[in-house]
Amino acid sequence: MNHVLVTNAGYWSPLVWVAAFAIVTAIALLIRSRGEKGCRHGTEQSLPFFSGNEPTAGNIHASNLYWGFVHGLARHYRLLARAHSGVVNDYAFSLVVLAVVLMAALIVGGMA
Amino acid sequence: MTLLSVFLEDTTALLVALPLLGAFSAPLVGKVSAKARNLWVIAIMALAELAAVSLLVDVLGGNPHFYAVGASDPALPSAAGFPFRIVLVADAMSALVAALAMTMALLSVIYSLRYESGNEGLEKYYSLVLLLAGAMMGLCLTGDFFTLFVFLEIASISSAGLIAFFSSAESFEAAFKYMVVSASGALFLLFGVGMLYGQYGMLNMASIGDSMAAQATFVDLAALSLLVSALLLKSGSVPVHMWKPDAYQEAPPQVVVMLVSFALLSLYLIFRICFSVFGAMVFPAIGWTVAILGALSIFVGVVMAVPQRNLRRLIGYAAIAEIGYVMLGVGTSLLAMHDSTGVGMSSMHGGIFHMLNDAIDMGLLLLVVGAVTYATKRQELDQVSGLAHRSGALAALFLIGVLSIAGLPPLNGFASKVIIYESVFRINPMLSVIGILGSIMMLAVFVKIFASVFLGAPYKGCFRKIPRSMLIPMVVLAVIMIFIGLFPGLVLERLVFPAAEALLNQEMYFGGVL
């Protein structure tokens, strides 16, 4: 079976990648097996380490993730949120705008 | 004539007829018992799947099907030299999308058996599911514009019914919004079809394409813009994507899997109309439009997915971005089709390949998300965590879907995206950069889901065991994804290259119908 993906710029062989991944995994496991044997599960040794801070009581929730990204782009998100108003009139309006833009692009580009 | 030979000869028509028969008979069989109804629905869908796969195998063997509905000899659609009948066309492209949509529909129905088992009115639910499946088959195979409009309406109405089916205020609202925008789109499409009918006096796609002059007229281009706008709306591309997160949040996950197929079919119809009907005269103008809208869909989809807290709404935005990759690939191919370096063809292969991968990847992710909702009765991201401790299989299946949709090797998503990046880069590096950044953000979005839903301290709430009938469709999709990822060359050679060839070969399309 043909596993090689030939693209316009080169080729890609997934099976070679899998073989390389297996070798790297084997090396990683070898290194791990040579680590400290006295690790005790269920004690504070297995708790997450948050840069010296006290461990938090619960999980880190989804709403906490990428907070900085969303906060940093708050202005852009406000714009996008305004465009996603949830009002069905706006949905229909966007279709009209699309049709007009498309018609202009096609007529200008297609008849040139 | 044996039953088998009739089945093989009339596969094209049966592919549309079987789900429609199932849709109207399911409520009657449901009067006997729920078990009989389930068996009936599965049998109909399995038979339709068999028809879709046998049609694909036959077409890929070099026998495109041209079927005139109602003709004494269905193989001769235009005995009088004028195709006045409804013509169904199954070439390598339409047979591929039909087989894909039918496979996803079958898996959705198998998944439904337990997912919806506690609900009432399921005979109506299965009727709508089969109606949607039948309409999608009609959309794949139709050879004329009016039948396209009719099947598009059947698909839209059954989709709206399914979004609202398990009634809540939010699902009614989502279905209402979908119905309004969908009806608006249908009117645009009908207006476009009317313009073409006024210009050429016929509705058959091949006849219209054959009658077109070398230079497109004003009416041709105005009609094309209306048709493409309406189909972009159905596919959920930016800027007409707003219905998608609402609908995906409220519809049952297995129904959303079918809505993803429907969205991809809408894109297929755009490509069919551009390549097979209008041909080279509109390539650059429509190419830029489709490619830019694709890049915008990727950008808006992933950026809006980041802050979402509802699992299904987030996937709705991710689906918008994924549609963008297909548009980017095929849009760029329209731009560079006559490029001697083969970039245009390569780009088209990437786009078609990604259609296949998108349906499978999104399908798996949606079914896993559905299983999370089934097990915990929750779909807000903040309300669930640590599910990997309760179901390692679910976590593993989700991880496979995540890696694939983010375009990481060695899964199928990587294979199609790498072709798109490479070929788009040669036409316009900026569009390719948007695509790559979109993939990185897509990974970030799904890592967020994986980290918050599956990792962390073990989930302490009520957790229902995932039934085998729900696990099987997910495992099937994961196996297909791994197979395509490991043997991308095979899939390209056997499925994608013939599909692209069929789409481009206008002479074969005209010759078969006329």
Side-chain angles (χ1 to χ4, degrees):
Chain A
M1 278 199 275
N2 185 3
H3 67 275
V4 179
L5 172 70
V6 181
T7 69
N8 207 34
Y11 66 93
W12 154 250
S13 171
L15 294 188
V16 172
W17 190 91
V18 169
F21 185 78
I23 293 167
V24 171
T25 308
I27 294 169
L29 289 174
L30 183 72
I31 295 168
R32 188 177 186 274
S33 71
R34 297 178 64 80
E36 174 59 49
K37 299 279 193 302
C39 175
R40 291 188 299 279
H41 288 282
T43 66
E44 63 174 10
Q45 288 182 356
S46 58
L47 286 176
F49 180 74
F50 288 114
S51 307
N53 294 324
E54 286 294 312
T56 50
N59 289 311
I60 297 170
H61 292 300
S63 51
N64 305 119
L65 295 172
Y66 307 136
W67 176 87
F69 180 85
V70 177
H71 186 72
L73 296 173
R75 263 180 57 197
H76 304 282
Y77 271 110
R78 269 199 296 276
L79 272 175
L80 278 171
R82 210 177 302 152
H84 295 80
S85 61
V87 180
V88 74
N89 297 14
D90 295 348
Y91 295 9
F93 179 68
S94 62
L95 174 65
V96 176
V97 171
L98 173 68
V100 170
V101 171
L102 206 56
M103 203 176 283
L106 280 181
I107 288 169
V108 171
M111 302 202 70
Chain B
M1 193 179 274
T2 63
L3 198 62
L4 184 66
S5 63
V6 170
F7 182 80
L8 287 174
E9 192 186 352
D10 297 324
T11 326
T12 324
L14 282 172
L15 203 45
V16 182
L18 277 170
L20 295 181
L21 168 74
F24 294 111
S25 57
L28 294 174
V29 180
K31 297 279 180 199
V32 179
S33 73
K35 200 172 179 182
R37 177 204 61 214
N38 291 351
L39 280 174
W40 175 246
V41 171
I42 289 287
I44 288 283
M45 290 300 284
L47 210 55
E49 173 70 6
L50 182 67
V53 172
S54 56
L55 180 69
L56 179 63
V57 170
D58 198 30
V59 167
L60 290 175
N63 304 310
H65 288 220
F66 299 93
Y67 191 96
V69 179
S72 55
D73 182 358
L76 292 172
S78 55
F82 186 77
F84 57 87
R85 289 193 174 90
I86 293 171
V87 178
L88 301 176
V89 180
D91 57 16
M93 183 70 205
S94 53
L96 175 65
V97 285
L100 178 66
M102 188 47 80
T103 306
M104 300 312 291
L106 174 65
L107 293 174
S108 301
V109 168
I110 294 171
Y111 189 90
S112 296
L113 294 176
R114 285 298 298 276
Y115 188 86
E116 303 294 359
S117 57
N119 289 313
E120 288 181 359
L122 285 178
E123 53 282 346
K124 299 183 197 85
Y125 164 79
Y126 284 116
S127 278
L128 288 170
V129 166
L130 287 159
L131 212 52
L132 178 56
M136 287 200 294
M137 292 305 101
L139 286 173
C140 294
L141 302 171
T142 183
D144 77 272
F145 279 114
F146 194 74
T147 315
L148 185 153
F149 168 73
V150 171
F151 281 124
L152 205 66
E153 278 301 273
I154 296 173
S156 301
I157 291 166
S158 48
S159 300
L162 285 165
I163 293 166
F165 199 83
F166 298 106
S167 45
S168 67
E170 290 80 11
S171 63
F172 282 141
E173 185 187 333
F176 172 73
K177 286 176 179 172
Y178 178 75
M179 206 60 232
V180 171
V181 289
S182 194
S184 311
L187 289 176
F188 275 53
L189 188 117
L190 191 60
F191 190 28
V193 171
M195 288 170 93
L196 288 175
Y197 185 70
Q199 173 97 332
Y200 297 102
M202 46 194 155
L203 291 162
N204 185 282
M205 290 183 190
S207 321
I208 291 174
D210 194 42
S211 306
M212 276 184 184
Q215 178 76 16
T217 64
F218 180 85
V219 174
D220 292 338
L221 295 171
L224 178 64
S225 62
L226 290 171
L227 296 173
V228 172
S229 308
L231 292 168
L232 282 175
L233 174 95
K234 303 280 183 186
S235 70
S237 150
V238 167
V240 276
H241 61 285
M242 279 101 159
W243 62 269
K244 220 170 188 177
D246 296 339
Y248 282 26
Q249 183 177 340
E250 294 306 325
Q254 72 280 6
V255 169
V256 180
V257 172
M258 294 181 73
L259 294 182
V260 168
S261 303
F262 181 28
L264 289 168
L265 285 188
S266 304
L267 284 187
Y268 153 72
L269 289 169
I270 294 176
F271 307 150
R272 172 62 77 193
I273 291 169
C274 288
F275 286 105
S276 299
V277 180
F278 283 81
M281 62 186 169
V282 295
F283 279 2
I286 194 82
W288 274 117
T289 318
V290 172
I292 290 169
L293 287 177
L296 278 174
S297 299
I298 294 170
F299 176 76
V300 173
V302 287
V303 168
M304 285 302 289
V306 171
Q308 300 305 320
R309 295 178 187 182
N310 183 289
L311 259 171
R312 294 191 199 166
R313 193 169 186 81
L314 188 156
I315 291 196
Y317 279 109
I320 294 166
E322 280 300 298
I323 285 282
Y325 285 99
V326 181
M327 291 169 66
L328 191 58
V330 181
T332 312
S333 78
L334 284 160
L335 281 172
M337 193 42 73
H338 305 300
D339 191 303
S340 56
T341 59
V343 175
M345 273 309 278
S346 176
S347 187
M348 174 172 247
H349 294 152
I352 295 173
F353 196 9
H354 199 68
M355 268 178 104
L356 182 73
N357 290 336
D358 181 28
I360 299 167
D361 300 350
M362 288 305 295
L364 176 62
L365 288 170
L366 283 161
L367 295 185
V368 175
V369 164
V372 168
T373 314
Y374 174 88
T376 62
K377 293 194 179 299
R378 294 172 196 277
Q379 53 171 311
E380 291 299 322
L381 280 167
D382 283 353
Q383 293 174 342
V384 280
S385 64
L387 290 187
H389 297 279
R390 307 296 293 267
S391 177
L394 216 53
L397 288 165
F398 191 79
L399 195 59
I400 292 171
V402 169
L403 296 178
S404 179
I405 208 154
L408 290 182
L411 290 158
N412 57 337
F414 172 78
S416 51
K417 281 186 176 177
V418 79
I419 304 175
I420 294 174
Y421 299 152
E422 277 185 13
S423 44
V424 173
F425 187 83
R426 292 188 172 199
I427 304 300
N428 188 313
M430 186 49 81
L431 293 177
S432 188
V433 167
I434 292 173
I436 294 168
L437 280 177
S439 264
I440 295 168
M441 283 185 71
M442 189 77 84
L443 180 64
V445 164
F446 281 98
V447 163
K448 167 178 153 173
I449 302 183
F450 188 75
S452 56
V453 173
F454 291 100
L455 303 184
Y459 182 66
K460 292 193 175 68
C462 173
F463 187 87
R464 276 203 286 177
K465 192 171 179 285
I466 311 294
R468 202 174 294 167
S469 66
M470 283 171 65
L471 273 173
I472 288 170
M474 293 187 262
V475 172
V476 168
L477 289 174
V479 169
I480 295 173
M481 284 160 67
I482 293 169
F483 178 82
I484 297 176
L486 291 180
F487 301 99
L490 183 77
V491 178
L492 273 173
E493 268 175 31
R494 299 282 169 87
L495 299 176
V496 177
F497 291 167
E501 178 63 30
L503 206 52
L504 283 173
N505 195 341
Q506 218 178 3
E507 296 304 315
M508 190 274 286
Y509 188 76
F510 291 171
V513 178
L514 304 173

Short mmCIF file of all heavy atoms in Angstrom, two decimals, chain B residues 194-239:
data_model
loop_
_atom_site.label_atom_id
_atom_site.label_comp_id
_atom_site.label_asym_id
_atom_site.label_seq_id
_atom_site.Cartn_x
_atom_site.Cartn_y
_atom_site.Cartn_z
N GLY B 194 -33.74 31.00 -11.34
CA GLY B 194 -34.71 31.65 -12.22
C GLY B 194 -34.02 32.48 -13.30
O GLY B 194 -34.43 32.48 -14.46
N MET B 195 -32.94 33.16 -12.90
CA MET B 195 -32.19 33.97 -13.87
C MET B 195 -31.59 33.09 -14.96
O MET B 195 -31.64 33.41 -16.15
CB MET B 195 -31.08 34.75 -13.16
CG MET B 195 -31.60 35.90 -12.32
SD MET B 195 -30.32 36.59 -11.29
CE MET B 195 -29.76 37.89 -12.35
N LEU B 196 -31.04 31.95 -14.55
CA LEU B 196 -30.45 31.04 -15.53
C LEU B 196 -31.53 30.46 -16.44
O LEU B 196 -31.33 30.30 -17.65
CB LEU B 196 -29.68 29.91 -14.83
CG LEU B 196 -28.37 30.31 -14.16
CD1 LEU B 196 -27.77 29.14 -13.40
CD2 LEU B 196 -27.36 30.82 -15.19
N TYR B 197 -32.70 30.15 -15.84
CA TYR B 197 -33.81 29.61 -16.64
C TYR B 197 -34.29 30.65 -17.65
O TYR B 197 -34.57 30.34 -18.81
CB TYR B 197 -34.95 29.18 -15.71
CG TYR B 197 -36.08 28.50 -16.44
CD1 TYR B 197 -35.91 27.23 -16.99
CD2 TYR B 197 -37.31 29.12 -16.60
CE1 TYR B 197 -36.93 26.60 -17.68
CE2 TYR B 197 -38.35 28.50 -17.28
CZ TYR B 197 -38.14 27.24 -17.83
OH TYR B 197 -39.16 26.62 -18.51
N GLY B 198 -34.36 31.91 -17.19
CA GLY B 198 -34.76 32.99 -18.09
C GLY B 198 -33.78 33.16 -19.24
O GLY B 198 -34.17 33.44 -20.37
N GLN B 199 -32.51 32.97 -18.94
CA GLN B 199 -31.47 33.17 -19.96
C GLN B 199 -31.41 32.00 -20.94
O GLN B 199 -31.26 32.20 -22.14
CB GLN B 199 -30.12 33.31 -19.24
CG GLN B 199 -28.91 33.36 -20.14
CD GLN B 199 -28.48 34.81 -20.39
OE1 GLN B 199 -29.27 35.72 -20.35
NE2 GLN B 199 -27.20 35.00 -20.64
N TYR B 200 -31.51 30.77 -20.42
CA TYR B 200 -31.26 29.60 -21.28
C TYR B 200 -32.50 28.74 -21.54
O TYR B 200 -32.44 27.82 -22.35
CB TYR B 200 -30.15 28.73 -20.67
CG TYR B 200 -28.84 29.46 -20.59
CD1 TYR B 200 -28.39 29.99 -19.38
CD2 TYR B 200 -28.05 29.67 -21.72
CE1 TYR B 200 -27.20 30.71 -19.29
CE2 TYR B 200 -26.87 30.38 -21.65
CZ TYR B 200 -26.45 30.89 -20.44
OH TYR B 200 -25.28 31.60 -20.37
N GLY B 201 -33.57 28.97 -20.77
CA GLY B 201 -34.80 28.21 -20.97
C GLY B 201 -34.69 26.76 -20.55
O GLY B 201 -35.42 25.90 -21.01
N MET B 202 -33.73 26.44 -19.70
CA MET B 202 -33.60 25.05 -19.18
C MET B 202 -32.97 25.06 -17.79
O MET B 202 -32.44 26.10 -17.34
CB MET B 202 -32.80 24.18 -20.13
CG MET B 202 -31.54 24.78 -20.65
SD MET B 202 -30.96 23.79 -22.05
CE MET B 202 -30.00 24.95 -22.94
N LEU B 203 -33.06 23.89 -17.16
CA LEU B 203 -32.59 23.80 -15.78
C LEU B 203 -31.47 22.79 -15.62
O LEU B 203 -30.84 22.73 -14.56
CB LEU B 203 -33.77 23.41 -14.87
CG LEU B 203 -34.84 24.50 -14.71
CD1 LEU B 203 -36.13 23.91 -14.17
CD2 LEU B 203 -34.34 25.61 -13.79
N ASN B 204 -31.25 21.98 -16.64
CA ASN B 204 -30.21 20.95 -16.54
C ASN B 204 -28.83 21.61 -16.54
O ASN B 204 -28.52 22.46 -17.37
CB ASN B 204 -30.34 20.01 -17.75
CG ASN B 204 -29.37 18.86 -17.63
OD1 ASN B 204 -28.20 19.02 -17.91
ND2 ASN B 204 -29.87 17.71 -17.21
N MET B 205 -28.01 21.21 -15.56
CA MET B 205 -26.71 21.87 -15.38
C MET B 205 -25.81 21.71 -16.62
O MET B 205 -25.19 22.68 -17.07
CB MET B 205 -25.99 21.29 -14.17
CG MET B 205 -26.61 21.64 -12.85
SD MET B 205 -25.60 20.95 -11.53
CE MET B 205 -26.65 21.19 -10.14
N ALA B 206 -25.75 20.50 -17.14
CA ALA B 206 -24.87 20.25 -18.28
C ALA B 206 -25.34 21.03 -19.51
O ALA B 206 -24.52 21.60 -20.23
CB ALA B 206 -24.82 18.75 -18.58
N SER B 207 -26.68 21.07 -19.74
CA SER B 207 -27.19 21.80 -20.92
C SER B 207 -26.88 23.28 -20.79
O SER B 207 -26.50 23.92 -21.78
CB SER B 207 -28.70 21.65 -21.05
OG SER B 207 -29.10 20.40 -20.73
N ILE B 208 -27.05 23.82 -19.57
CA ILE B 208 -26.78 25.25 -19.38
C ILE B 208 -25.30 25.52 -19.61
O ILE B 208 -24.92 26.45 -20.33
CB ILE B 208 -27.23 25.70 -17.97
CG1 ILE B 208 -28.76 25.67 -17.87
CG2 ILE B 208 -26.71 27.11 -17.65
CD1 ILE B 208 -29.31 25.96 -16.50
N GLY B 209 -24.45 24.67 -19.02
CA GLY B 209 -23.00 24.84 -19.18
C GLY B 209 -22.60 24.76 -20.65
O GLY B 209 -21.78 25.54 -21.13
N ASP B 210 -23.23 23.82 -21.35
CA ASP B 210 -22.92 23.63 -22.76
C ASP B 210 -23.36 24.82 -23.62
O ASP B 210 -22.75 25.11 -24.65
CB ASP B 210 -23.62 22.34 -23.25
CG ASP B 210 -23.08 21.87 -24.58
OD1 ASP B 210 -21.85 21.93 -24.75
OD2 ASP B 210 -23.87 21.47 -25.44
N SER B 211 -24.44 25.49 -23.17
CA SER B 211 -24.99 26.61 -23.97
C SER B 211 -24.27 27.92 -23.68
O SER B 211 -24.49 28.90 -24.39
CB SER B 211 -26.47 26.80 -23.64
OG SER B 211 -27.16 25.60 -23.80
N MET B 212 -23.49 27.95 -22.62
CA MET B 212 -22.85 29.22 -22.26
C MET B 212 -21.80 29.63 -23.28
O MET B 212 -21.06 28.80 -23.79
CB MET B 212 -22.18 29.10 -20.89
CG MET B 212 -23.16 29.34 -19.76
SD MET B 212 -22.33 29.31 -18.19
CE MET B 212 -23.77 29.48 -17.13
N ALA B 213 -21.74 30.94 -23.52
CA ALA B 213 -20.74 31.47 -24.45
C ALA B 213 -19.37 31.45 -23.77
O ALA B 213 -19.26 31.22 -22.57
CB ALA B 213 -21.12 32.88 -24.84
N ALA B 214 -18.34 31.69 -24.56
CA ALA B 214 -16.97 31.67 -24.01
C ALA B 214 -16.79 32.77 -22.97
O ALA B 214 -16.05 32.61 -22.01
CB ALA B 214 -15.97 31.85 -25.14
N GLN B 215 -17.50 33.87 -23.15
CA GLN B 215 -17.43 34.98 -22.18
C GLN B 215 -18.74 35.01 -21.40
O GLN B 215 -19.82 35.04 -21.99
CB GLN B 215 -17.21 36.29 -22.95
CG GLN B 215 -17.16 37.53 -22.08
CD GLN B 215 -15.84 37.67 -21.34
OE1 GLN B 215 -14.85 37.02 -21.67
NE2 GLN B 215 -15.82 38.49 -20.31
N ALA B 216 -18.65 35.03 -20.07
CA ALA B 216 -19.85 35.01 -19.25
C ALA B 216 -20.63 36.31 -19.43
O ALA B 216 -20.04 37.38 -19.54
CB ALA B 216 -19.47 34.85 -17.79
N THR B 217 -21.97 36.18 -19.46
CA THR B 217 -22.79 37.39 -19.57
C THR B 217 -23.05 37.95 -18.18
O THR B 217 -22.78 37.31 -17.16
CB THR B 217 -24.15 37.05 -20.22
OG1 THR B 217 -24.83 36.17 -19.33
CG2 THR B 217 -23.97 36.39 -21.57
N PHE B 218 -23.62 39.14 -18.16
CA PHE B 218 -23.97 39.79 -16.89
C PHE B 218 -24.92 38.89 -16.08
O PHE B 218 -24.75 38.71 -14.88
CB PHE B 218 -24.62 41.15 -17.18
CG PHE B 218 -25.02 41.89 -15.95
CD1 PHE B 218 -24.11 42.68 -15.28
CD2 PHE B 218 -26.31 41.79 -15.45
CE1 PHE B 218 -24.47 43.37 -14.12
CE2 PHE B 218 -26.69 42.46 -14.31
CZ PHE B 218 -25.77 43.25 -13.64
N VAL B 219 -25.91 38.34 -16.79
CA VAL B 219 -26.90 37.49 -16.09
C VAL B 219 -26.23 36.24 -15.52
O VAL B 219 -26.51 35.83 -14.39
CB VAL B 219 -28.05 37.10 -17.06
CG1 VAL B 219 -29.01 36.11 -16.42
CG2 VAL B 219 -28.81 38.34 -17.50
N ASP B 220 -25.32 35.63 -16.28
CA ASP B 220 -24.60 34.45 -15.78
C ASP B 220 -23.92 34.76 -14.46
O ASP B 220 -24.01 34.01 -13.49
CB ASP B 220 -23.50 34.02 -16.77
CG ASP B 220 -24.06 33.48 -18.07
OD1 ASP B 220 -25.22 33.06 -18.05
OD2 ASP B 220 -23.33 33.50 -19.08
N LEU B 221 -23.20 35.89 -14.44
CA LEU B 221 -22.40 36.23 -13.25
C LEU B 221 -23.29 36.62 -12.07
O LEU B 221 -23.01 36.25 -10.93
CB LEU B 221 -21.42 37.37 -13.58
CG LEU B 221 -20.36 36.98 -14.62
CD1 LEU B 221 -19.57 38.20 -15.06
CD2 LEU B 221 -19.41 35.93 -14.06
N ALA B 222 -24.38 37.34 -12.37
CA ALA B 222 -25.31 37.70 -11.29
C ALA B 222 -25.93 36.44 -10.71
O ALA B 222 -26.04 36.29 -9.48
CB ALA B 222 -26.38 38.64 -11.83
N ALA B 223 -26.32 35.50 -11.58
CA ALA B 223 -26.90 34.24 -11.10
C ALA B 223 -25.89 33.46 -10.29
O ALA B 223 -26.21 32.92 -9.21
CB ALA B 223 -27.38 33.41 -12.30
N LEU B 224 -24.65 33.41 -10.77
CA LEU B 224 -23.61 32.66 -10.04
C LEU B 224 -23.39 33.25 -8.65
O LEU B 224 -23.26 32.51 -7.66
CB LEU B 224 -22.29 32.69 -10.84
CG LEU B 224 -21.11 31.99 -10.17
CD1 LEU B 224 -21.36 30.50 -10.01
CD2 LEU B 224 -19.82 32.19 -10.96
N SER B 225 -23.39 34.58 -8.56
CA SER B 225 -23.16 35.19 -7.25
C SER B 225 -24.31 34.85 -6.29
O SER B 225 -24.07 34.62 -5.10
CB SER B 225 -22.98 36.70 -7.38
OG SER B 225 -24.14 37.27 -7.91
N LEU B 226 -25.54 34.79 -6.78
CA LEU B 226 -26.66 34.44 -5.91
C LEU B 226 -26.58 32.98 -5.48
O LEU B 226 -26.81 32.64 -4.30
CB LEU B 226 -27.99 34.69 -6.64
CG LEU B 226 -28.34 36.17 -6.86
CD1 LEU B 226 -29.53 36.31 -7.78
CD2 LEU B 226 -28.63 36.86 -5.53
N LEU B 227 -26.25 32.10 -6.42
CA LEU B 227 -26.13 30.67 -6.09
C LEU B 227 -25.03 30.45 -5.05
O LEU B 227 -25.21 29.74 -4.06
CB LEU B 227 -25.81 29.84 -7.35
CG LEU B 227 -26.85 29.81 -8.46
CD1 LEU B 227 -26.31 29.10 -9.69
CD2 LEU B 227 -28.11 29.11 -7.99
N VAL B 228 -23.87 31.09 -5.30
CA VAL B 228 -22.73 30.88 -4.39
C VAL B 228 -23.03 31.47 -3.01
O VAL B 228 -22.71 30.85 -1.98
CB VAL B 228 -21.43 31.47 -5.00
CG1 VAL B 228 -20.29 31.45 -4.00
CG2 VAL B 228 -21.04 30.69 -6.24
N SER B 229 -23.67 32.64 -2.96
CA SER B 229 -24.02 33.25 -1.65
C SER B 229 -24.89 32.30 -0.85
O SER B 229 -24.65 32.07 0.34
CB SER B 229 -24.79 34.55 -1.82
OG SER B 229 -24.14 35.40 -2.67
N ALA B 230 -25.92 31.76 -1.51
CA ALA B 230 -26.85 30.87 -0.80
C ALA B 230 -26.13 29.61 -0.30
O ALA B 230 -26.35 29.17 0.83
CB ALA B 230 -27.98 30.48 -1.74
N LEU B 231 -25.25 29.06 -1.13
CA LEU B 231 -24.56 27.83 -0.73
C LEU B 231 -23.49 28.10 0.33
O LEU B 231 -23.24 27.25 1.19
CB LEU B 231 -23.96 27.13 -1.96
CG LEU B 231 -25.04 26.57 -2.90
CD1 LEU B 231 -24.43 26.16 -4.23
CD2 LEU B 231 -25.75 25.38 -2.27
N LEU B 232 -22.88 29.29 0.29
CA LEU B 232 -21.93 29.65 1.35
C LEU B 232 -22.66 29.76 2.69
O LEU B 232 -22.14 29.39 3.74
CB LEU B 232 -21.22 30.97 1.03
CG LEU B 232 -20.09 30.89 0.00
CD1 LEU B 232 -19.56 32.29 -0.30
CD2 LEU B 232 -18.94 30.01 0.49
N LEU B 233 -23.89 30.28 2.62
CA LEU B 233 -24.70 30.36 3.84
C LEU B 233 -24.94 28.98 4.42
O LEU B 233 -24.79 28.74 5.61
CB LEU B 233 -26.03 31.05 3.53
CG LEU B 233 -27.02 31.06 4.68
CD1 LEU B 233 -26.93 32.36 5.45
CD2 LEU B 233 -28.44 30.85 4.21
N LYS B 234 -25.31 28.04 3.54
CA LYS B 234 -25.57 26.67 4.01
C LYS B 234 -24.30 26.02 4.55
O LYS B 234 -24.36 25.17 5.44
CB LYS B 234 -26.11 25.79 2.87
CG LYS B 234 -27.36 26.33 2.22
CD LYS B 234 -28.59 26.01 3.02
CE LYS B 234 -29.83 26.50 2.29
NZ LYS B 234 -31.04 26.35 3.07
N SER B 235 -23.15 26.41 3.99
CA SER B 235 -21.91 25.78 4.45
C SER B 235 -21.41 26.43 5.74
O SER B 235 -20.55 25.89 6.41
CB SER B 235 -20.84 25.85 3.37
OG SER B 235 -20.41 27.18 3.21
N GLY B 236 -21.95 27.61 6.07
CA GLY B 236 -21.54 28.28 7.31
C GLY B 236 -20.21 28.99 7.18
O GLY B 236 -19.44 29.05 8.15
N SER B 237 -19.94 29.54 6.01
CA SER B 237 -18.70 30.30 5.83
C SER B 237 -18.89 31.72 6.35
O SER B 237 -20.00 32.24 6.37
CB SER B 237 -18.36 30.31 4.34
OG SER B 237 -17.68 31.47 3.99
N VAL B 238 -17.80 32.35 6.75
CA VAL B 238 -17.83 33.78 7.09
C VAL B 238 -18.19 34.55 5.83
O VAL B 238 -17.68 34.20 4.75
CB VAL B 238 -16.45 34.21 7.64
CG1 VAL B 238 -16.31 35.73 7.70
CG2 VAL B 238 -16.22 33.59 9.02
N PRO B 239 -19.04 35.56 5.82
CA PRO B 239 -19.70 36.22 6.95
C PRO B 239 -21.10 35.70 7.25
O PRO B 239 -21.84 36.37 7.97
CB PRO B 239 -19.76 37.66 6.45
CG PRO B 239 -20.02 37.52 4.98
CD PRO B 239 -19.30 36.28 4.55
#
